[in-house]
Every structure is written in C-alpha cells, then in structure tokens.
Amino acid sequence: MSIRDHDAPHGETVLRAGSYGCAPVMPLLSVRELARVDADGILAHEGMAARLPARRRRRAERLATHDLKTWEQEQQRAEPDTHVAADTPTLPVRRRILRSGLTGYAPRVPWHGASMPQAGLLDPFTVSGHPPFDGPLIGRSLLTGGVWRYDAWQPYQQGVATSVNGWVAGLMGSGKSLMLKAFATRETTMPWNRRIIIEGDPKGEWARVANAIGGQVVRVGRGAYLNPLDPGPRPAMRDARDWRGDVLAMQRDALASIGRALRPGTPSDPREQAVLSAAMLDHHSRDTTPTIAGLLDLLQSEWPERATIRGLDAGQARGAANRLLLLYDPLVHGAEAGAFEHESTIGIDPASPMIVFDTGSVTESNELRKRLYMAAMSANVERLCAQRDGRYRIVIGEEGHQLLANPELVKRWDWRMRMSGELGVSNWILLHELADLDKFAPPGSQTRIMIRGILTLSDTQVIYRQSAAGLKSLDGEFIPDLTDDERTAIRTMPAYGALWRVGGTIRDVVRVAVSPAAYETFNTDEHRGG
C-alpha cells in the first residue's frame, strides 16, 4: 500500500510504503449462538456486535482500556529495545481481551500513526472480515476476526476455482477431523441440502455423527451382507444402454480393487481381467445380479472352456479362472467370509443426509481386512455417485492413506474428480503425514504421479500443522507455490487452526467454531491425553 506524502509533524516518521497490521475487534459467538449455528448450519444474521447487551459491550470496553493502561505501564518499566527506537512503541499482545470476547490477534510490529487523509482511506473499517464465500459457517478468520463460511460449490460458482474438490492434511490431534465433521453436518442443512458419504470409518467416529443427524450407518458381518457387485435399480432418468455400460465398468473396477486389496503389489493380469469381464457379461445376459459366491461357482464350472473370450483359448481361460478362484476364495470359504460374498441384505437410502460406510469392525493389526473392507465398500460409493439423480454429494475419504494405498482406488478417485461436474460430486480426502506416501507410492511411480494429480488438482486445500518432513513434501511436491508466510503459518499453527487455500487468490487462517454439544459429538481426542 502506498501512502501519499503530506506534511508530517516535526519529529514524526511517515510510513511511505508497506502495510499495516490491524488488530480487528469482533465479539466471539456465544454458546447459545453456536448451538443455533449447529442446528441451522448457517449464521442467519451478521451484526453480532449490535445485538450484544449494552453491559457486555461496556465490560469489553473497560477491559480493553485496562489492558492498554497496563501495557503502557509495562512499556515504561521495560528496558529499551536496542533494535527499536526508544520513542517507538510496539503493539500489545492482548491476552486479557480474549477473555472479554475480543480477538487476541495483535502482532508485535512498529506502531505508525496516520490520519485518514494521510492513509488515503475512506473508511477506517476496511479491514472488516467479510467472508469471501456464502455457505454454512465454518469458524472465524484469525487474520481478520470475521466469520468464515464455505460451501463446496461456492468457489466454482464465484469463478475463484475450477474444481469443487478439496483435501485436508495435518498432524494427529491438530483438529482436521473436527473441522470436517462441522463442515459436513452443516452442508446437509437448508438451503444447501448436500448429501454426505463417508468412504470408510475405521474408528466409528462418523457413525455417531450420522446417528445424530438422522443419517445411515452401513455395517457388514454377522449376517449383514453388502454386495459390491450389486448396481441397484436403474435410475428413472438413465437410458438403459448407458446404465448397462456404467454397471459393467463399476463391476469390473470393483473386482479389480478387491483383487488388488487381496493381492497387493501385484499388477492386474489382462487375461484375468478378460475372464472377469466375460463373466459379468454372462450374468447380464441372464438378467441376474452377480455375487462373488456366484462368480466362483461360474469359474469352477466348465464355463471358462466353453465361453468365447476374445484373445484367449480354452486352456488360457481355464488357467486364468483357476488363479481367480484362488484369489477370491477367502471371501467365500476363508477367513474373510461373511461380509461381501452374497446378495445385499442392507438397503442403502440415496436420499439419506449422511451415509457412513463403517469399517470400525476391522482391527488395526489386520491390514488385509482393512484393505478389503475399503475396496468393497468403495464400490457402493461409486454406485451412489453414478446415480445422477439430481442430488449433490460430498464424498469424504476419512482414511486417505488407506484409499491411496490401493492403485485401483486411486484410479477411481481420480476419475470421480474429473467427472465431478457431471456426477454432481465434491470429493474430499483426509491425510495425516504427507511424508508417509513414500511407503506405498514411491516418488516417480505411476501411482505417485496420479496421487500428485489428485492433490494438485483439488482447488481447496486445508492445511493444519505439519511436521518438518510433511512440510517438505508439501512444499516441494504438492504445493509448488507455497509462500514464506504460508510456511511460517503452517509451522506455528494454533490448535484447531488451518491455512485455507482456495483457488489461486483466497488465502486465510481459519479456526473452526462448534458449540459444546457438537464438540462432544465431533471430538475424538478425549482419551489422547491419558
């Protein structure tokens, strides 16, 4: 900002170029107001300060005045700073003001005085934190003190971003999951009315959120089956031929992702893929819904030798069928049976405000079952997204590392991102330590290139505190235009605060706001402190 050069009083220094650090003052949301936010999903009216009781305003003013007098007294007692002139005061850090309901942001920068004509400003309140987007309330900007709102489709509608996808990354306990829960639940309310899908819930923490807002929790086992090959009924507005093509592709991809979960590190065999495609076509020709148990029965019969499979003779088809029998047999007769091999006994309501695919029955030590549950349940997520029923959905990958560890699921996520406009889907993935990606997607690998595309093509990036290794990965690979100020903000981020990068222009540091009742539902850290 350039300042016009007017006559300055004798002995004073005029700031001719640079920027001002402003300490905005804004009331914190009360408990009652926060409870209404969680019920409505959106802050109905601005002007919180105008609605505060007069006695609260007077109390805040008294405390602010007391803070300033205390600071002046401390300045008089303090030893002079060798780096700052003795007659140049610095702004106080207003710790007491925070308790009075005022923001505590006051950076220690040299104090400069200027009149309105000198500063060239028409209004002293031009630093007001008016939110850049409409949408449900997320929290408060730590830079302006203003309310921060966000809806997944707002950046695209306002021309700020070219996609509606996003990702969230941060260390454990930094508050990223709490923010996602507040964001998701508020998006389900009017007038936004988004539908939320949680693609994998290993800790059961999203299940209680879904129950609290009248959503659906999908659990398998103990007689409850979820058939990953079941396409469900054809939507009324979908052409039968187009729907058939989509179904065949979804079933092929479901079997491929389940196979990769059962046999990690082994690339798909084209001969096996040809046999699986032919088997799905056979089911369609008989107008039956395929199951994994039915697929094994077909592969064990004489069908592979009799079927016409382009590029394979009878002996090659039988050899591929035998390998597939060994691969998928644990789902029917082995330790992984009882969840995905038969027709679905669980009905999924596509109109539910939140659908959580619960993988919480999987123990942390059973890596095979975790991969299997993620792959099988993701097939049902694809089916819901392919409905094209006019509903706008937000898919959240709660355990991003489990998704990205399966190359077939990476392909499906990448495809869904590119088709988000046609499908009406906003895809969000949650990550912990970005440096951990090296364990299953080494730099330079095809999967790593696709993961980098997923993260760099997401126009909303919410970054919580990072370790040194995570910040290095973030800075060097996934966000090449990270600035020095952003790096500093990430390293020194307060609890529950995050750097929001939206499109190429919007940057802010936001702390989520939730009521005590919502915090009890959202919080998963109650046992972390011992």
Side-chain angles (χ1 to χ4, degrees):
M1 177 174 72
S2 296
I3 307 299
R4 289 197 299 271
D5 188 5
H6 294 280
D7 294 335
H10 180 70
E12 292 186 10
T13 302
V14 177
L15 180 65
R16 301 181 185 278
S19 62
Y20 285 104
C22 301
V25 176
M26 179 181 175
L28 292 174
L29 301 177
S30 69
V31 171
R32 181 177 297 175
E33 288 158 348
L34 282 172
R36 189 174 69 252
V37 165
D38 284 322
D40 298 341
I42 133 180
L43 192 62
H45 302 286
E46 298 288 357
M48 284 289 187
R51 297 204 304 274
L52 281 177
R55 59 184 178 81
R56 282 188 61 189
R57 289 200 301 272
R58 287 195 299 271
R59 179 175 180 271
E61 290 167 1
R62 286 198 305 271
L63 287 174
T65 303
H66 176 272
D67 251 25
L68 193 56
K69 289 181 179 178
T70 303
W71 166 73
E72 289 172 347
Q73 294 170 1
E74 290 175 355
Q75 286 288 321
Q76 293 173 1
R77 293 194 300 266
E79 295 181 1
D81 191 335
T82 57
H83 299 289
V84 182
D87 58 350
T88 305
T90 56
L91 284 174
V93 177
R94 300 172 178 171
R95 294 185 178 87
R96 282 184 57 83
I97 296 180
L98 184 62
R99 292 199 296 273
S100 71
L102 304 176
T103 179
Y105 177 76
R108 293 187 180 278
V109 297
W111 184 284
H112 297 281
S115 66
M116 288 301 103
Q118 286 176 322
L121 297 176
L122 297 177
D123 191 320
F125 300 104
T126 53
V127 295
S128 171
H130 182 72
F133 305 117
D134 194 7
L137 178 139
I138 298 297
R140 175 189 303 277
S141 166
L142 296 182
L143 301 184
T144 68
V147 170
W148 177 266
R149 306 178 191 274
Y150 184 86
D151 165 61
W153 277 264
Q154 269 287 301
Y156 182 83
Q157 292 172 3
Q158 295 194 20
V160 174
T162 58
S163 83
V164 298
N165 305 297
W167 54 268
V168 182
L171 293 176
M172 185 177 296
S174 58
K176 56 189 181 299
S177 187
L178 181 78
M179 186 281 297
L180 270 177
K181 293 183 179 75
F183 162 61
T185 53
R186 293 167 186 174
E187 282 275 35
T188 64
T189 59
M190 298 297 289
W192 320 109
N193 202 28
R194 314 302 189 190
R195 302 301 197 273
I196 310 298
I197 300 174
I198 307 303
E199 189 168 355
D201 180 24
K203 301 174 186 176
E205 59 190 77
W206 281 92
R208 60 186 180 185
V209 178
N211 291 330
I213 66 171
Q216 180 181 12
V217 180
V218 179
R219 293 187 177 95
V220 297
R222 298 182 179 179
Y225 290 95
L226 189 65
N227 180 12
L229 305 180
D230 184 0
R234 175 171 63 90
M237 68 285 295
R238 295 298 307 279
D239 176 77
R241 184 170 182 175
D242 290 344
W243 176 244
R244 179 175 181 269
D246 285 351
V247 167
L248 285 171
M250 286 188 291
Q251 290 170 341
R252 177 199 63 205
D253 294 337
L255 288 168
S257 59
I258 292 172
R260 185 61 71 96
L262 295 170
R263 191 172 55 190
T266 304
S268 301
D269 187 325
R271 292 166 294 187
E272 295 176 6
Q273 293 300 309
V275 171
L276 289 176
S277 296
M280 293 301 100
L281 281 171
D282 181 80
H283 278 284
H284 279 272
S285 67
R286 293 184 279 114
D287 197 24
T288 59
T289 300
T291 64
I292 292 178
L295 171 65
L296 293 191
D297 290 340
L298 188 67
L299 295 176
Q300 200 167 14
S301 69
E302 296 179 357
W303 172 83
E305 290 89 347
R306 294 187 282 101
T308 302
I309 304 175
R310 291 174 62 88
L312 299 182
D313 59 29
Q316 291 172 324
R318 169 45 62 191
N322 287 341
R323 291 192 296 273
L324 291 170
L325 279 168
L326 292 173
L327 177 63
Y328 293 108
D329 190 66
L331 276 70
V332 180
H333 302 109
E336 313 309 328
F340 304 110
E341 68 270 28
H342 296 305
E343 292 185 4
S344 293
T345 60
I346 303 170
I348 298 177
D349 179 11
S352 177
M354 178 180 289
I355 301 173
V356 175
F357 288 92
D358 187 3
T359 56
S361 61
V362 182
T363 61
E364 286 295 319
S365 60
N366 195 332
E367 291 294 332
L368 172 60
R369 183 164 289 189
K370 282 197 294 186
R371 293 193 302 265
L372 171 62
Y373 273 50
M374 182 65 72
M377 289 188 169
S378 294
N380 287 272
V381 174
E382 295 293 332
R383 176 171 70 83
L384 287 167
C385 293
Q387 292 287 312
R388 294 180 176 90
D389 53 7
R391 297 183 176 94
Y392 288 88
R393 294 180 168 87
I394 299 175
V395 178
I396 298 176
E398 166 68 23
E399 286 294 319
H401 286 85
Q402 287 294 328
L403 281 168
L404 299 180
N406 188 327
E408 297 297 330
L409 295 182
V410 173
K411 292 178 185 176
R412 299 307 300 163
W413 193 275
D414 179 73
W415 175 84
R416 200 166 63 220
M417 282 182 58
R418 298 178 188 278
M419 294 291 290
S420 57
E422 183 176 344
L423 299 175
V425 175
S426 173
N427 304 278
W428 287 71
I429 197 164
L430 187 147
L431 300 166
H432 299 288
E433 182 62 76
L434 288 170
D436 289 344
L437 295 175
D438 293 342
K439 296 178 181 178
F440 52 83
S445 65
Q446 188 62 37
T447 302
R448 182 61 166 255
I449 293 172
M450 197 170 296
I451 292 173
R452 185 168 65 243
I454 287 173
L455 299 185
T456 55
L457 292 177
S458 298
D459 269 355
T460 298
Q461 301 153 355
V462 185
I463 308 164
Y464 285 80
R465 194 170 60 252
Q466 295 284 319
S467 68
L471 186 58
K472 183 178 179 181
S473 298
L474 190 74
D475 191 9
E477 182 175 10
F478 301 116
I479 305 183
D481 61 340
L482 201 67
T483 66
D484 289 338
D485 287 342
E486 289 173 325
R487 293 186 193 95
T488 302
I490 294 169
R491 282 197 299 267
T492 60
M493 193 66 65
Y496 302 109
L499 170 66
W500 283 67
R501 293 170 49 97
V502 187
T505 56
I506 304 297
R507 304 289 184 268
D508 210 334
V509 178
V510 180
R511 177 177 283 166
V512 66
V514 297
S515 70
Y519 183 79
E520 290 299 317
T521 303
F522 297 163
N523 182 42
T524 56
D525 297 342
E526 60 265 32
H527 301 303
R528 188 163 290 158

